[in-house]
Amino acid sequence: DFGHSSRTMAFALDGRFTGREGDPDYEIDCDFYVAFNAWSGPVKFRVPVSPTRRRWRLLIDTAQPSPADFLDEGTGPVIADGTEYEVGAFAALVLLSEP
């Protein structure tokens, strides 16, 4: 919804399409799922299947207190596709697929 009153946005980036597909050392990269909540209350987002069908891991949840808001790659909990993940008010979520 790109209406005037919309306060949320989410998208996935496919790790297969990095712009380097023609390079001899090309490898599929990780997928990203990003959700933004610019609303004054929490909003639930349904986590999609990763474009490359790999498991998601939590990387960033800015609603969490530091240091739990930014996690090292590969250390965050697995977030199953189809899960409803609640993104806090005025917060962002980033999931990264496993390599």
Side-chain angles (χ1 to χ4, degrees):
D1 175 10
F2 291 106
H4 179 70
S5 62
S6 180
R7 301 287 184 258
T8 61
M9 184 169 88
F11 59 90
L13 298 175
D14 190 329
R16 294 173 291 189
F17 305 107
T18 63
R20 297 190 61 222
E21 293 84 3
D23 292 354
D25 62 343
Y26 166 75
E27 292 182 19
I28 293 175
D29 205 346
C30 295
D31 302 321
F32 285 87
Y33 175 71
V34 181
F36 297 108
N37 176 14
W39 188 250
S40 60
V43 173
K44 291 182 180 179
F45 290 80
R46 185 166 309 279
V47 176
V49 174
S50 159
T52 54
R53 306 255 185 247
R54 296 178 284 183
R55 293 191 317 172
W56 292 117
R57 285 198 175 268
L58 180 63
L59 185 63
I60 298 170
D61 181 348
T62 63
Q64 299 301 314
S66 183
D69 52 349
F70 286 76
L71 305 173
D72 290 331
E73 186 176 327
T75 64
V78 170
I79 307 296
D81 54 54
T83 300
E84 282 191 346
Y85 193 99
E86 187 172 273
V87 178
F90 306 111
L93 168 73
V94 178
L95 304 180
L96 183 66
S97 70
E98 293 181 330

